[in-house]
Amino acid sequence: MTPVSPDKIKITDIARAANVSPGTVDRVLHGRGEVAEKTKKKVLSVIEKLGYKPNLLARSLATKKSFRFVSLLPEHRPGEYWESPEKGIDKAREEIRLYNVSVEKMYFDQFDAQSFVAASESLIAFKPDAALIAPMFRNDAVLLTERLLRNRIPCVYIDSNAEDEHYLSYFGQHSYQSGYVAARLTETGLPPGSEILMVRTIRISGTSNQIERREDGFSAYFRDKGLTDKYRLIRTKLSVDNDSDNRKELTAVFEKHRNIRAAVVFNSRAYQLADILNKLKIKNIKLIGYDLSGDNIARLKDGSISFLIAQRPEEQGYRGIMALCDRVVFNGEINRINYMPIDIIAKENVDYYETTPRANA
Amino acid sequence: MTPVSPDKIKITDIARAANVSPGTVDRVLHGRGEVAEKTKKKVLSVIEKLGYKPNLLARSLATKKSFRFVSLLPEHRPGEYWESPEKGIDKAREEIRLYNVSVEKMYFDQFDAQSFVAASESLIAFKPDAALIAPMFRNDAVLLTERLLRNRIPCVYIDSNAEDEHYLSYFGQHSYQSGYVAARLTETGLPPGSEILMVRTIRISGTSNQIERREDGFSAYFRDKGLTDKYRLIRTKLSVDNDSDNRKELTAVFEKHRNIRAAVVFNSRAYQLADILNKLKIKNIKLIGYDLSGDNIARLKDGSISFLIAQRPEEQGYRGIMALCDRVVFNGEINRINYMPIDIIAKENVDYYETTPRANA
DNA sequence: TTTATTTCCGTGTGCGCACACGGAAATAAA
DNA sequence: TTTATTTCCGTGTGCGCACACGGAAATAAA
């Protein structure tokens, strides 16, 4: 509560030092043209010399611009994974509201590629100033981002990386490495000779490459460490919804492989496997899964799941939106690839895991 | 880039609706008095009805107030633990500079209680508007915060919780629970009959209660799970600096206890134990430690350390300062206890662990 | 009742910037 | 050389708020 801070130079200081009017400084700052080359150079050199930094508060207050962002996520129900990224988006939205940024939320059905295409059309028609996208359908996502790019609309991907060149920035996990971590957790303390069950859930529209790369990383760990003789990797597939088929399949697998001591599920449905194993009375299986959905947390707490790997989904949404804001509103630079931490969650630390980015003023 | 956002109500809207002048609304908003009781009620009801939210940008721009914060941390060198909280403080400082908040950094010697007392005097003399403190010397920290409280200066603790009533808010780990997590990691895959070495580093001015509670949590895990027959906990003490004494001590311990298969160090010096074990050619010890100092990370990567438990030190500093800002600058409410996640770090995920809170505009 | 005091409130200015408007100077066209 | 056009720049206003100032109305003191 002392007197106001000193030595902040402002546009009028620049103007005085450069012998021009504030209006001219403004034109130079915004590259609006209508300034003689000589004058422009003079002003720029003064700006440089005095180290002028615009007051973002005043700028936002004065500007009449507003910005419309769009997010495109899978539809979801309470407790499901996608609730978390959306929470992060909401938090960011609240924080940048004062900068005249609005965020319109759009959705698609994650089991229906056609719904993604339809949503893409709506998104394009909306003419947003920026977009945050969960590119679950690789090809359609690329088509969408190509069109956005053509209109100079920046685009951030979260969750899974489509590996094309059409997005501004990616916030998500390094899937391959997360598989490596899953393998490390699986191996720790596992008796030699054990068999390890790798579970893939069949999806209607094909497995995402995110899941595939988790599996790749997982397998690679055992190869890289020369553990392929010590352990044996068994693969099986489960259906998303057909419970009785799944039981039959697993019964057969465990019949055939008597030494399965660990199992890994590479999507967020580890709870499904936990439930089936419970029903089949198969015990003492070390189960590793992904993502902190409500169901997974419950199984983690009751001991059916040993470890879950998390990827700060809220932070993905939050930082994705903030990056777009930095870019569009403040003309900042954004890191292209932003890998999230690969968080290891056990029963003992799950209650203290909060992905929530801080709320600020 | 569409027209400016609508329906934002401002002070003049309140004034019109309440049949008063903007100045009167302002007096009510700030509780400056000089308003008749009846008028005040009228204005408040209109504010309520229209759901007025002040524009923080305009408020900060218009206000002539400025705020001086102080941080009080242990001195440290590059790569050491305390660099991280300081990084978070710097980040927060940058973000709230526009709100006329400055952060003055003060330091003490973490091995010299007297230096903390001296720093306390400087801090008080500085008359800050808020303080962020690492309360490593419990009693002296309490004395300091009592004096701050008397002057109505809000005070945030980070890292360790002194458990008194004199601070506004705490950002740090639940130490007891983090010991529990350490125990879980230690136990996973450990052969029955193993002995577990619990290492305490002797400090000149007594062990902090943070460390003690980690130990408590660790021991409690084995009791709670009924594992006291299965494993045996061995305790030993090491000196901070006397390497040869430490070697002798450890040689004797391992001489006596032939079944030690795991060791835990409860402060950030796990690398010290790793180095001694290397020199003594003691192998195959599963080593668990705390905090991502440069030395610890190196040992994690070369395999001497199995797991480290981290506590988002940058986030502690960042959120601590931001909380003070919310409170002092924006009159917000702050959560009193803010436990950090208990992060599990292994060789496989350490490169993706960033505690850095996002940089924003 | 008159004057002094207090209570209460409205008006005006500035925070640092964006941006519209209009006009002088320089240049091009007649 | 005169007029039309373009280039270039300065001035003025408003964003939403905090806060100083001063004055009218109400009350207290004389």
Side-chain angles (χ1 to χ4, degrees):
Chain A
M1 286 253 235
T2 51
V4 73
S5 67
D7 64 64
K8 284 271 83 181
I9 47 145
K10 41 199 166 174
I11 284 184
T12 51
D13 299 323
I14 308 284
R16 200 177 320 113
N19 259 320
V20 295
S21 75
T24 299
V25 177
D26 179 71
R27 274 183 285 270
V28 171
L29 280 173
H30 293 82
R32 274 197 257 278
E34 305 195 357
V35 179
E37 195 55 34
K38 198 177 144 193
T39 316
K40 186 176 171 184
K41 274 188 181 142
K42 172 73 180 166
V43 170
L44 283 175
S45 82
V46 170
I47 286 175
E48 176 73 17
K49 206 180 84 192
L50 300 187
Y52 169 75
K53 294 266 181 280
N55 183 321
L56 265 24
L57 265 45
R59 172 170 288 182
S60 298
L61 190 61
T63 191
K64 283 174 177 50
K65 287 199 200 102
S66 72
F67 304 90
R68 307 194 310 164
F69 290 6
V70 172
S71 73
L72 180 54
L73 301 183
E75 296 159 354
H76 53 273
R77 282 169 305 183
E80 286 186 348
Y81 173 78
W82 285 100
E83 207 180 24
S84 300
E86 181 157 338
K87 247 170 117 177
I89 290 168
D90 288 340
K91 188 145 299 191
R93 169 156 76 170
E94 192 51 36
E95 278 186 36
I96 61 184
R97 204 173 35 86
L98 283 177
Y99 298 112
N100 288 328
V101 178
S102 64
V103 182
E104 173 79 15
K105 294 193 260 188
M106 298 184 171
Y107 301 94
F108 61 92
D109 176 351
Q110 61 179 305
F111 299 110
D112 175 11
Q114 201 47 48
S115 76
F116 185 92
V117 175
S120 299
E121 291 305 326
S122 309
L123 197 158
I124 296 277
F126 188 75
K127 294 187 186 304
D129 298 296
L132 178 140
I133 295 176
M136 292 194 59
F137 300 100
R138 191 189 183 297
N139 294 335
D140 298 315
V142 169
L143 289 177
L144 171 58
T145 45
E146 270 173 357
R147 290 170 71 184
L148 290 173
L149 196 75
R150 231 175 284 141
N151 297 320
R152 309 216 146 283
I153 298 171
C155 182
V156 160
Y157 281 2
I158 66 167
D159 190 65
S160 54
N161 192 340
E163 287 179 322
D164 66 288
E165 295 297 320
H166 297 297
Y167 54 92
L168 170 65
S169 173
Y170 168 64
F171 291 87
Q173 207 166 53
H174 190 297
S175 305
Y176 182 93
Q177 189 66 23
S178 81
Y180 225 77
V181 172
R184 161 72 188 271
L185 294 172
T186 305
E187 185 222 349
T188 301
L190 201 66
S194 297
E195 291 170 304
I196 299 167
L197 186 64
M198 294 169 66
V199 178
R200 167 176 292 193
T201 306
I202 299 168
R203 293 162 59 107
I204 292 106
S205 22
T207 301
S208 81
N209 66 345
Q210 183 192 33
I211 305 289
E212 276 172 15
R213 288 202 284 158
R214 287 175 180 170
E215 293 181 6
D216 291 344
F218 189 85
S219 314
Y221 178 91
F222 292 93
R223 280 200 310 277
D224 295 350
K225 305 266 176 186
L227 297 170
T228 41
D229 291 338
K230 196 169 172 188
Y231 305 111
R232 184 148 167 236
L233 301 182
I234 311 295
R235 284 157 224 263
T236 189
K237 294 182 183 173
L238 294 185
S239 149
V240 177
D241 43 20
N242 195 325
D243 196 46
S244 76
D245 273 10
N246 288 342
R247 286 208 212 183
K248 260 182 256 170
E249 168 71 14
L250 281 174
T251 306
V253 168
F254 278 88
E255 204 67 40
K256 187 171 168 195
H257 301 283
R258 293 290 183 170
N259 281 322
I260 295 178
R261 290 284 168 273
V264 193
V265 181
F266 292 98
N267 61 21
S268 59
R269 297 171 187 277
Y271 67 91
Q272 231 180 7
L273 179 59
D275 287 345
I276 299 177
L277 293 183
N278 271 339
K279 281 183 197 153
L280 296 180
K281 311 263 185 233
I282 298 174
K283 304 224 183 271
N284 297 322
I285 302 291
K286 181 180 193 175
L287 185 48
I288 312 284
Y290 276 81
D291 297 330
L292 294 186
S293 68
D295 288 328
N296 276 347
I297 290 176
R299 296 307 169 278
L300 190 69
K301 288 194 173 178
D302 74 19
S304 332
I305 294 177
S306 290
F307 289 103
L308 288 170
I309 291 175
Q311 49 180 326
R312 311 231 184 142
E314 276 199 41
E315 205 174 317
Q316 291 182 28
Y318 178 84
R319 289 181 57 190
I321 293 292
M322 294 311 281
L324 288 172
C325 180
D326 284 349
R327 169 63 174 268
V328 172
V329 181
F330 303 113
N331 293 314
E333 290 298 318
I334 310 294
N335 283 338
R336 187 167 158 76
I337 300 293
N338 303 274
Y339 287 125
M340 293 288 120
I342 300 167
D343 287 322
I344 299 171
I345 309 301
K347 182 182 179 177
E348 287 78 12
N349 66 347
V350 64
D351 283 337
Y352 295 87
Y353 186 72
E354 43 147 86
T355 57
T356 318
R358 75 181 172 85
N360 97 346
Chain B
M1 279 251 242
T2 51
V4 73
S5 67
D7 65 62
K8 283 272 82 181
I9 47 147
K10 41 200 167 174
I11 284 185
T12 50
D13 298 323
I14 308 285
R16 199 176 323 112
N19 258 321
V20 295
S21 75
T24 299
V25 176
D26 179 73
R27 273 182 286 269
V28 172
L29 281 173
H30 293 82
R32 275 198 256 279
E34 306 194 357
V35 179
E37 194 57 33
K38 198 178 147 195
T39 315
K40 186 176 170 183
K41 273 188 181 141
K42 173 72 180 164
V43 170
L44 284 175
S45 82
V46 171
I47 287 175
E48 175 74 18
K49 206 181 84 192
L50 300 187
Y52 169 74
K53 293 266 180 280
N55 182 322
L56 265 22
L57 265 43
R59 171 171 289 182
S60 298
L61 191 61
T63 191
K64 286 175 175 49
K65 287 201 201 100
S66 73
F67 304 91
R68 306 194 311 162
F69 290 6
V70 173
S71 74
L72 181 53
L73 301 183
E75 296 159 353
H76 53 275
R77 283 170 304 182
E80 286 186 351
Y81 174 76
W82 285 100
E83 209 180 21
S84 298
E86 181 156 340
K87 247 169 115 177
I89 290 169
D90 287 339
K91 187 144 300 193
R93 168 156 74 169
E94 193 51 37
E95 278 187 37
I96 61 183
R97 204 172 35 84
L98 284 177
Y99 298 112
N100 288 327
V101 178
S102 65
V103 182
E104 173 79 15
K105 294 193 261 189
M106 297 184 171
Y107 300 95
F108 61 92
D109 177 349
Q110 61 179 305
F111 299 110
D112 176 10
Q114 199 49 48
S115 77
F116 186 91
V117 174
S120 298
E121 291 303 327
S122 309
L123 196 157
I124 295 278
F126 187 75
K127 293 188 185 308
D129 297 297
L132 177 142
I133 295 175
M136 294 196 56
F137 301 100
R138 191 190 184 297
N139 293 337
D140 297 314
V142 169
L143 289 176
L144 171 59
T145 44
E146 270 174 355
R147 289 171 70 186
L148 290 173
L149 196 75
R150 233 175 283 141
N151 297 320
R152 309 214 146 283
I153 297 170
C155 182
V156 160
Y157 282 1
I158 65 166
D159 191 66
S160 52
N161 193 339
E163 289 180 319
D164 64 287
E165 295 296 319
H166 297 296
Y167 54 93
L168 170 64
S169 173
Y170 167 65
F171 291 87
Q173 206 165 53
H174 191 299
S175 305
Y176 182 93
Q177 188 67 23
S178 82
Y180 224 77
V181 173
R184 160 72 188 271
L185 294 172
T186 305
E187 184 223 349
T188 300
L190 202 66
S194 298
E195 291 170 303
I196 299 167
L197 185 63
M198 295 170 65
V199 178
R200 167 177 292 194
T201 305
I202 299 167
R203 293 161 59 107
I204 291 106
S205 21
T207 301
S208 80
N209 66 344
Q210 182 193 30
I211 305 291
E212 275 173 16
R213 286 200 286 158
R214 287 175 180 171
E215 293 182 6
D216 291 345
F218 189 85
S219 314
Y221 178 91
F222 292 93
R223 279 199 310 278
D224 294 350
K225 306 265 176 184
L227 297 170
T228 42
D229 292 336
K230 196 170 172 189
Y231 304 112
R232 182 148 169 234
L233 301 183
I234 312 294
R235 284 157 223 264
T236 188
K237 293 182 183 174
L238 294 184
S239 149
V240 176
D241 42 20
N242 196 323
D243 195 46
S244 77
D245 272 12
N246 287 342
R247 285 209 214 181
K248 260 182 257 169
E249 168 70 13
L250 282 175
T251 307
V253 167
F254 278 88
E255 205 68 41
K256 188 171 168 195
H257 301 283
R258 294 292 182 166
N259 281 323
I260 295 178
R261 291 284 168 272
V264 193
V265 180
F266 292 98
N267 60 20
S268 61
R269 297 172 187 277
Y271 66 91
Q272 233 181 6
L273 179 60
D275 288 344
I276 299 176
L277 293 183
N278 272 339
K279 282 183 194 152
L280 296 180
K281 312 260 186 232
I282 298 174
K283 305 223 182 273
N284 297 322
I285 301 293
K286 181 181 195 174
L287 185 47
I288 312 284
Y290 275 82
D291 297 330
L292 294 186
S293 67
D295 289 327
N296 276 348
I297 290 176
R299 298 304 168 280
L300 190 68
K301 289 193 174 182
D302 73 20
S304 334
I305 294 177
S306 289
F307 289 104
L308 288 169
I309 291 175
Q311 48 181 326
R312 311 232 183 138
E314 278 198 41
E315 206 175 316
Q316 291 183 28
Y318 178 84
R319 290 181 56 190
I321 293 291
M322 294 311 282
L324 288 172
C325 179
D326 283 349
R327 170 63 176 266
V328 172
V329 180
F330 302 112
N331 294 314
E333 292 297 318
I334 312 293
N335 283 338
R336 189 168 156 76
I337 300 293
N338 303 274
Y339 288 125
M340 293 289 120
I342 300 169
D343 287 322
I344 299 171
I345 310 300
K347 182 183 180 176
E348 287 77 13
N349 66 347
V350 64
D351 282 338
Y352 296 87
Y353 185 72
E354 44 145 86
T355 57
T356 317
R358 78 185 168 86
N360 98 346

